[in-house]
Amino acid sequence: MDYQAEYQKKRTTAAEAVKVVQSGDWVDYGWCTNHPVALDRALAARKDELTDVNVRGGVTMWMPEICKADDAGEHFTWNAWHMSGVDRKIAAKGMGYFCPMRYSELPRFYRENVTVDVAMIQVSPMDEHGNFNYGLAASHLSDMLSVAKHIIVEVNQNMPWVNGLTGSEINIMDVDKIVEGDNPPVAELGAGGPPSEVDQAVAELIVPAIPNGACLQLGIGGMPNAVGMMIAQSDLRDLGVHTEMYVDAFVDIARAGKITGARKNLDKGRQVYAFAAGTKKLYEYVNRNPHVQAAPVDYTNDVRVLSQLDNFISINNAIDLDLFGQVNAESAGLKHISGTGGQLDFVMGAYLSNGGKSFICMSSTVAGKDGTLKSRIIPTLANGSIVTDPRSTIQYLVTEYGMVDLKGTATWQRAEKIISVAHPDFRDELIAQAEQMKIWKRSNKR
């Protein structure tokens, strides 16, 4: 096979490529850093020719061109598998919606439930074997492309080439059109500022509970990142990585010599993840690095896989939590913020792991717009708030005031434990609420 000849035969312009999109089609942009740029711009230019085009994406890093026009919603509908700040802005325009899911199920959705008329994603340049690498995300892309009626790849010279466990590349024979884009820098996700005092206090409680040889999963946000920074500075050794999202903190831990993967039961010596997003430091680290491997999310997040990894440590954030132990990591009442993602899978998988531990970490309070403090531990979740982790699944809850294990507790016991790590200014009020809710015993500690 003359791959270069095939390449030239399929190479075209973005404007020409997007002519395949018709009104009423379902168009898939892929995931996060794989969202197209030149193709998106060309599709936006066709706005007035099209109606009722549904577009899917997730963890959106920049505002798509198709969503910018004032009347964009009359032509395009944005459907997000996981909401970022950009996705929330699209929803606020009245043209964006959330698709509920456990992230581990997404590849199966494509195999069994959804239609893809046109798929268009950014990829790395073709290699000598005729393969385009998905770069920073394996996620669900192979299953998505396997059912797409039309596949357009947008080549970006700056997209890292990442080793894959499986499902990390597509051959030119399976591609319909090739567009050479403008080679923009890969979108960066800021690592955030230095840890706050609260972040530091939470990290200081979690890190001593992590054993040597543990396998790590870190969620998105300041607190997991603070834990990662502290791990990098700790005496821990022989750590492994098996995570949904690969973030800058893992690079810091690896460069500190803490990650070897030597004790992993699966994929020994390899850091395995579904997708990566961070700063240029991360992108340079994962590029052709034999120690990291992207894998489909129905492998990285599968509870059955996680249970085989000894000493699996899962560290995730929450927005708020109630006195029953229900965790909301997705919304502020009816206002949608993110998504279930893999949190529930990792909470359950860590507990099933031999020696595994699951941590839900959060600050005890949040400041309102007027500067007043509000407790993030509340009697019951607000109307419309999403239960990301049912009360039956949570293990360790950590705030700056302590760490408690909620497994094996009756409602009155867990109410007492949860209140013990709430901000002191709110404890009496929470106790009064617990008494009204009949989950507080007279003999409970006050």
Side-chain angles (χ1 to χ4, degrees):
M1 167 63 67
D2 187 340
Y3 296 121
Q4 286 301 325
E6 191 70 14
Y7 186 100
Q8 294 305 321
K9 186 170 74 173
K10 294 182 176 182
R11 185 164 66 99
T12 187
T13 64
E16 190 65 29
V18 300
K19 288 181 179 179
V20 71
V21 178
Q22 303 297 315
S23 293
D25 276 356
W26 281 89
V27 178
D28 219 296
Y29 273 17
W31 189 256
C32 196
T33 56
N34 288 90
H35 285 188
V37 177
L39 289 164
D40 168 54
R41 186 167 59 244
L43 185 59
R46 290 193 60 210
K47 170 178 67 70
D48 294 335
E49 305 169 24
L50 300 167
T51 57
D52 195 30
V53 175
N54 276 282
V55 184
R56 295 190 194 94
V59 195
T60 306
M61 301 274 279
W62 61 88
M63 181 62 70
E65 291 294 326
I66 61 168
C67 299
K68 287 184 177 179
D70 291 340
D71 64 341
E74 297 177 17
H75 307 274
F76 302 103
T77 300
W78 185 257
N79 304 273
W81 290 120
H82 192 88
M83 302 281 273
S84 68
V86 175
D87 292 296
R88 293 193 292 274
K89 290 178 181 177
I90 299 172
K93 289 188 66 172
M95 61 174 295
Y97 301 88
F98 174 64
C99 309
M101 65 158 180
R102 282 169 50 220
Y103 187 20
S104 59
E105 296 180 343
L106 188 51
R108 183 173 174 181
F109 286 1
Y110 281 92
R111 295 193 297 268
E112 298 181 6
N113 303 109
V114 302
T115 296
V116 183
D117 293 299
V118 183
M120 50 179 77
I121 62 170
Q122 282 195 87
V123 294
S124 67
M126 186 178 73
D127 66 15
E128 64 270 28
H129 305 294
N131 295 316
F132 298 94
N133 189 268
Y134 301 149
L136 296 165
S139 186
H140 58 286
L141 299 189
S142 281
D143 286 288
M144 177 193 82
L145 296 176
S146 72
V147 299
K149 297 172 186 174
H150 302 279
I151 298 173
I152 311 170
V153 296
E154 179 179 323
V155 177
N156 185 345
Q157 298 284 343
N158 295 311
M159 182 66 71
W161 192 98
V162 179
N163 288 290
L165 207 59
T166 185
S168 62
E169 56 194 24
I170 186 169
N171 191 268
I172 192 170
M173 298 306 296
D174 298 315
V175 170
D176 296 302
K177 298 179 186 297
I178 301 164
V179 171
E180 294 179 344
D182 302 327
N183 300 314
V186 179
E188 294 188 33
L189 181 67
S196 67
E197 290 184 8
V198 171
D199 293 338
Q200 191 75 11
V202 169
E204 288 174 354
L205 292 167
I206 294 176
V207 173
I210 300 174
N212 289 323
C215 188
L216 304 177
Q217 177 263 325
L218 299 178
I220 304 171
M223 280 189 179
N225 190 60
V227 173
M229 291 176 64
M230 185 168 287
I231 291 172
Q233 299 165 10
S234 73
D235 293 328
L236 288 169
R237 60 183 185 275
D238 284 338
L239 300 174
V241 175
H242 185 104
T243 190
E244 168 188 299
M245 183 176 181
Y246 195 84
V247 294
D248 278 46
F250 287 119
V251 180
D252 296 331
I253 300 169
R255 287 180 171 169
K258 310 299 178 185
I259 296 174
T260 66
R263 303 191 198 179
K264 288 183 72 178
N265 307 73
L266 302 172
D267 312 311
K268 192 179 294 292
R270 300 290 183 265
Q271 301 178 58
V272 177
Y273 55 88
F275 76 104
T279 65
K280 187 177 180 181
K281 171 179 69 177
L282 183 153
Y283 301 153
E284 291 176 345
Y285 178 78
V286 301
N287 186 47
R288 298 191 180 274
N289 186 338
H291 300 295
V292 297
Q293 288 188 318
V297 72
D298 54 1
Y299 177 77
T300 61
N301 292 30
D302 190 332
V303 172
R304 294 163 295 189
V305 172
L306 303 178
S307 67
Q308 299 176 58
L309 293 161
D310 291 348
N311 296 308
F312 189 84
I313 305 295
S314 171
I315 303 168
N316 288 285
N317 273 334
I319 295 171
D320 49 32
L321 171 139
D322 69 16
L323 295 181
F324 293 106
Q326 298 182 115
V327 178
N328 164 34
E330 300 184 47
S331 72
L334 292 171
K335 181 182 178 182
H336 198 86
I337 294 175
S338 57
T340 303
Q343 184 171 126
L344 178 58
D345 291 312
F346 285 112
V347 165
M348 295 175 65
Y351 188 67
L352 291 171
S353 157
N354 180 30
K357 299 172 184 176
S358 165
F359 300 92
I360 297 295
C361 54
M362 56 191 286
S363 61
S364 64
T365 60
V366 62
K369 291 182 179 179
D370 59 358
T372 59
L373 289 182
K374 298 180 181 180
S375 179
R376 296 177 72 184
I377 292 175
I378 52 182
T380 58
L381 295 182
N383 182 42
S385 289
I386 305 299
V387 179
T388 305
D389 309 316
R391 61 181 179 175
S392 55
T393 59
I394 185 172
Q395 187 177 11
Y396 290 100
L397 168 66
V398 192
T399 75
E400 70 270 32
Y401 291 102
M403 178 167 66
V404 291
D405 185 353
L406 300 181
K407 287 293 187 181
T409 55
T411 53
W412 64 269
Q413 291 174 299
R414 64 176 42 212
E416 180 181 286
K417 286 190 171 188
I418 291 169
I419 292 172
S420 76
V421 297
H423 191 288
D425 290 353
F426 296 95
R427 291 179 190 172
D428 288 344
E429 179 183 343
L430 289 168
I431 288 171
Q433 292 285 346
E435 288 175 329
Q436 291 182 21
M437 294 159 59
K438 309 297 184 186
I439 55 172
W440 191 262
K441 286 179 62 176
R442 287 191 299 272
S443 58
N444 276 18
K445 296 177 183 178
R446 289 179 179 266

